[in-house]
Amino acid sequence: MSDALSLLQQRHSAPSRQLGEPAPDPATLRTLLEAAIRVPDHGKLVPFRLITLRGAAKLKFGAQLAERAIRRHPELPESKREKERRRYTFAPLVVAVIARLDHDSGVPEIEQKLCAGNVAYNILLGAYALGFGAQWLTGWAAYDPEVATLLGLAANECVIGFVHLGTPQTDIPDRDRPALGDVLSEWQG
């Protein structure tokens, strides 16, 4: 079996709270992201862009998201408030994958979003191939207009996901996967 198929059969997400240093160094990250943006792109629109969050800026972003979460839901129990406060303190690097939609294009919006989603997935695959851990998260923040403003998104942009990257600090067991027979059928006409 090829190494590439073996990689697909073994890849799994590492929970962001179990990711720590090191993150990919700048040269490795550049190589990873250059590979990740090689995705199917109907119309060659490049309907995506990336924003990296690291260090003090990542922590500041996380703190602002926690404040926003509490403003949105003042009744939030303290345990969930603490979860929001800590969300961006674990993985040393987060890559926000942004869909940049061309509404005047003949390419359906869903295809443009799927293109950006492929970038996020390629980051997961590439990170795993390089020996790092990664988790693609969305949650409320991916859909919140104040978070979009905080990230400086244009009106035609939206968050596809926040990919948390780092080195797993513990062994990460794989989760149960569906049996192929449960999801595969053949159309008979």
Side-chain angles (χ1 to χ4, degrees):
M1 181 172 307
S2 79
D3 288 342
L5 266 182
S6 178
L7 172 75
L8 288 174
Q9 290 176 321
Q10 296 173 31
R11 192 222 62 86
H12 60 274
S13 294
S16 63
R17 67 187 175 283
Q18 295 178 2
L19 295 173
E21 293 287 357
D25 63 57
T28 302
L29 179 62
R30 181 177 182 85
T31 300
L32 170 61
L33 296 179
E34 285 174 340
I37 63 173
R38 294 179 57 91
V39 293
D41 180 2
H42 183 187
K44 300 177 187 172
L45 299 176
V46 189
F48 54 82
R49 68 183 181 99
L50 307 170
I51 302 170
T52 57
L53 304 161
R54 66 179 111 215
K58 175 187 64 94
L59 296 175
K60 181 178 179 181
F61 178 76
Q64 290 176 322
L65 262 58
E67 289 171 11
R68 171 70 177 136
I70 294 166
R71 278 196 326 274
R72 287 178 72 210
H73 299 287
E75 75 289 352
L76 209 59
E78 184 55 37
S79 61
K80 295 202 181 207
R81 289 174 183 234
E82 186 62 19
K83 182 178 179 182
E84 292 292 343
R85 288 184 194 109
R86 296 180 50 124
R87 187 178 306 276
Y88 282 80
T89 63
F90 301 107
L93 173 65
V94 177
V95 178
V97 179
I98 310 302
R100 194 170 47 187
L101 305 174
D102 182 343
H103 300 294
D104 295 327
S105 163
V107 177
E109 186 175 296
I110 185 67
E111 291 186 26
Q112 296 179 56
K113 287 182 177 179
L114 287 169
C115 179
N118 281 324
V119 172
Y121 186 61
N122 276 355
I123 295 171
L124 294 180
L125 285 174
Y128 187 78
L130 293 169
F132 294 99
Q135 186 176 30
W136 174 354
L137 297 172
T138 51
W140 67 268
Y143 309 104
D144 186 86
E146 284 189 32
V147 175
T149 299
L150 180 63
L151 287 168
L153 302 190
N156 68 322
E157 294 181 320
C158 62
V159 174
I160 291 297
F162 300 99
V163 181
H164 295 243
L165 291 155
T167 299
Q169 303 298 296
T170 63
D171 288 334
I172 312 291
D174 199 7
R175 66 173 176 84
D176 290 337
R177 304 293 174 164
L180 182 60
D182 292 343
V183 297
L184 177 67
S185 62
E186 184 170 336
W187 189 72
Q188 299 293 320

